[in-house]
């Protein structure tokens, strides 16, 4: 008798492979086998090439559903402190400007993050990352942007890398120094962009940067300043993403597309011209319903235009201390269904296939032979339940690269 060749095999659960242009790619009474972190078999149990015990060293017989691992492609997860008191003040009538004048807003998060050591940032950020993994996340994007100087941007990116190592999941780091203007550069946004551009090659040389982002908005940075940052990224061969058109239409979607951007994120005010540009260049629209919900926004992204022009729509948590303190990827999917009227299938694709594409990762987000063995075993009777239930813990097992992480 030959030794089993696969590391593991799950039989009995239904598979939502998503390995087709439409539909869940459902396989009833399925089987999923993996070896060396890659999927070796994804199909019906009846199609296995032999008895399960002869194929894999570990065999799990179960029910429920298995989907690809969820991909949270937009977070600001590494930070110190919180802004719960500001949330309370806003509910009592305080404006954002009043809170900012009193030392609150993003400036308070920058102060707290600068004061925290690497270990303290890990201590505060790890529970947030663990909560996302417990909700089914196997790949996680984390941005800098609360340091706003070289040492503290570097610290944030370094901590993001450590989180991935501790959790056993993929963490993709995004350089977002162009997030806000630090006090040292008050009234000198161009000078700050010069500094942030100067820091980028050094951080990239240390292996800390996977992509570059910017906040292109009236209260952030102009399209021209954003363009300068993106040109610096392109010179280093780094892909770009963009906080685009959240509060107004500055042509952010088209700007991201002009640099072959992986994604344009938020996109509530994105114009039809930008939609067309995104479609032409394959730029993903990342929907962030957590911020939409917390800010009580009413301006919807151009969802029908995205569908009509074939722009892929991803879904992410935007986990951050000010506008989206969201610690569940499944809840982000639920909010996307409720606020943006995505179907459960669209939301699941948005949290897997399209979210992986928004990070430039083509080896995950589906259950197919050769793909990375990132998957979630859910205690549900149908995948639509992932967007149906408000709260609750539905992820029974979470596997990243073939290893159980939650």
């Amino acid at each position: 008798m030959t030794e089993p060749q696969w590391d593991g095999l799950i039989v009995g659960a239904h598979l939502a492979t998503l390995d087709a242009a439409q539909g869940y790619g459902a396989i009833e009474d399925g089987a999923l086998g993996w070896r060396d972190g890659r999927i070796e078999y994804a199909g019906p149990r009846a199609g296995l090439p032999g008895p399960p015990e002869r194929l894999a060293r570990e065999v799990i017989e179960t029910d429920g559903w298995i989907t690809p691992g969820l991909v949270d492609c937009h977070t600001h997860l590494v930070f110190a402190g919180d802004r719960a008191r500001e949330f309370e003040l806003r509910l009592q009538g305080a404006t954002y400007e009043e809170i900012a004048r009193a030392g609150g807003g993003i400036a308070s998060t920058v102060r707290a993050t600068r004061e925290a050591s690497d270990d303290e940032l890990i201590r505060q950020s790890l529970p947030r990352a663990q909560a996302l993994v417990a909700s089914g996340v196997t790949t996680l994007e984390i941005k800098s942007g609360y340091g706003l100087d070289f040492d503290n941007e570097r610290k944030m990116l370094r901590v993001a890398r450590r989180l991935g190592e501790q959790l056993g999941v993929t963490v993709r780091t995004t350089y977002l120094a162009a997030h806000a203007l630090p006090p040292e550069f008050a009234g000198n946004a161009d000078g700050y962009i010069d500094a942030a551009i100067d820091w980028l090659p050094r951080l990239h040389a240390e292996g800390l940067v996977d992509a570059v982002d910017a906040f292109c908005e009236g209260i952030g940075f102009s399209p021209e300043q954003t363009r300068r940052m993106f040109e610096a990224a392109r010179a280093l061969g780094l892909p770009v993403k963009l906080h685009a058109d959240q509060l107004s239409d500055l042509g952010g979607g088209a700007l991201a597309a002009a640099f072959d951007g992986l994604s344009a994120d938020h996109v509530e005010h994105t114009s039809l011209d930008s939609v067309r540009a995104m479609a032409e260049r394959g730029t993903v629209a990342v929907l962030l319903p957590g911020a939409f919900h917390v800010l009580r926004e009413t301006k919807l992204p151009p969802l029908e235009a995205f569908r009509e022009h074939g722009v892929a729509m991803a879904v992410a948590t935007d986990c951050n201390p000010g506008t989206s303190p969201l610690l569940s990827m499944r809840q982000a999917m639920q909010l996307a269904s409720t606020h943006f009227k995505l179907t459960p299938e669209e939301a699941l694709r948005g949290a897997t296939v399209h979210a992986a594409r928004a990070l430039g990762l083509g080896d995950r987000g589906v259950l197919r032979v050769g793909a990375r063995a990132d998957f979630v075993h859910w205690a549900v009777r149908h995948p639509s339940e992932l967007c149906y239930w408000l709260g609750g813990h539905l992820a029974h097992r979470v596997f990243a690269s073939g290893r159980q992480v939650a």
Side-chain angles (χ1 to χ4, degrees):
M1 178 178 173
T2 60
E3 287 291 317
Q5 296 298 306
W6 299 345
D7 297 326
L9 173 65
I10 295 180
V11 294
H14 306 316
L15 308 183
T17 67
L18 303 180
D19 193 18
Q22 293 182 330
Y24 290 107
I27 297 175
E28 296 187 357
D29 191 19
L32 186 72
W34 63 93
R35 177 176 60 182
D36 296 332
R38 297 285 168 179
I39 294 174
E40 290 285 324
Y41 181 86
R45 172 158 53 177
L48 283 169
E53 63 276 7
R54 294 189 180 182
L55 294 171
R57 287 187 283 275
E58 179 185 12
V59 179
I60 300 171
E61 175 96 30
T62 189
D63 54 11
W65 280 81
I66 295 174
T67 73
L70 305 185
V71 177
D72 195 350
C73 64
H74 182 129
T75 86
H76 305 256
L77 184 141
V78 171
F79 59 87
D82 64 61
R83 281 152 56 192
R85 177 57 179 155
E86 294 178 21
F87 174 72
E88 186 174 34
L89 289 173
R90 285 201 307 272
L91 292 175
Q92 294 170 350
T95 66
Y96 184 86
E97 290 76 14
E98 290 169 341
I99 291 170
R101 281 199 302 270
I106 190 172
S108 65
T109 300
V110 171
R111 283 195 304 273
T113 302
R114 285 180 171 186
E115 291 169 1
S117 66
D118 286 47
D119 288 343
E120 179 60 20
L121 269 185
I122 285 280
R123 188 189 70 79
Q124 294 192 40
S125 303
L126 183 60
R128 294 188 283 268
Q130 289 171 324
L132 290 175
V133 172
S135 77
V137 171
T138 55
T139 299
L140 178 63
E141 187 255 19
I142 301 177
K143 303 178 190 295
S144 67
Y146 292 128
L148 307 185
D149 62 25
F150 176 76
D151 289 338
N152 288 291
E153 289 290 293
R154 183 188 189 200
K155 177 176 65 179
M156 290 185 67
L157 294 165
R158 195 165 53 220
V159 165
R161 287 278 193 245
R162 285 179 58 186
L163 287 173
E165 292 167 2
Q166 289 195 28
L167 291 170
V169 300
T170 300
V171 167
R172 301 291 284 182
T173 54
T174 299
Y175 179 64
L176 182 59
H179 189 200
L181 198 60
E184 300 86 0
F185 285 86
N188 185 16
D190 283 330
Y192 177 65
I193 290 296
D194 288 341
I197 288 172
D198 182 60
W199 305 333
L200 178 57
R202 289 183 278 169
L203 296 172
H204 178 49
E206 293 183 22
L208 293 176
V209 180
D210 295 320
V212 173
D213 195 353
F215 181 39
C216 184
E217 193 57 71
I219 62 172
F221 295 93
S222 71
E224 181 53 37
Q225 290 161 346
T226 300
R227 183 178 296 277
R228 288 171 54 206
M229 179 60 73
F230 282 4
E231 287 170 348
R234 183 160 59 185
L236 294 170
L238 286 167
V240 301
K241 307 162 64 65
L242 185 63
H243 283 65
D245 310 325
Q246 179 185 10
L247 306 175
S248 62
D249 179 17
L250 294 183
L255 176 57
F259 283 83
D260 295 313
L262 294 174
S263 68
D265 302 28
H266 286 289
V267 295
E268 281 91 336
H269 292 262
T270 294
S271 69
L272 183 57
D273 285 344
S274 284
V275 171
R276 292 187 178 117
M278 291 168 64
E280 181 180 348
R281 297 298 184 92
T283 298
V284 177
V286 177
L287 307 180
L288 302 173
F292 185 92
H293 178 78
V294 170
L295 295 173
R296 302 181 186 180
E297 295 287 355
T298 57
K299 173 68 173 176
L300 292 170
L303 303 163
E304 288 307 317
F306 288 145
R307 292 186 180 104
E308 179 184 350
H309 290 274
V311 175
M313 292 184 288
V315 176
T317 64
D318 192 17
C319 175
N320 75 72
T323 61
S324 188
L326 180 54
L327 296 178
S328 168
M329 190 60 190
R330 194 176 64 76
Q331 189 64 54
M333 294 162 59
Q334 204 285 328
L335 290 172
S337 294
T338 300
H339 288 306
F340 301 155
K341 297 184 180 179
L342 265 62
T343 66
E345 180 207 328
E346 284 180 315
L348 180 57
R349 283 186 177 276
T352 53
V353 181
H354 300 325
R357 182 174 158 190
L359 295 179
L361 299 174
D363 65 344
R364 65 201 70 194
V366 296
L367 302 179
R368 72 161 72 104
V369 173
R372 184 179 160 94
D374 290 356
F375 56 91
V376 186
H377 174 213
W378 303 94
V380 297
R381 288 170 295 217
H382 192 271
S384 60
E385 291 186 53
L386 302 181
C387 294
Y388 167 70
W389 292 108
L390 288 163
H393 184 70
L394 303 184
H396 185 56
R397 300 181 181 92
V398 181
F399 287 78
S401 193
R403 296 183 299 273
Q404 187 168 347
V405 294

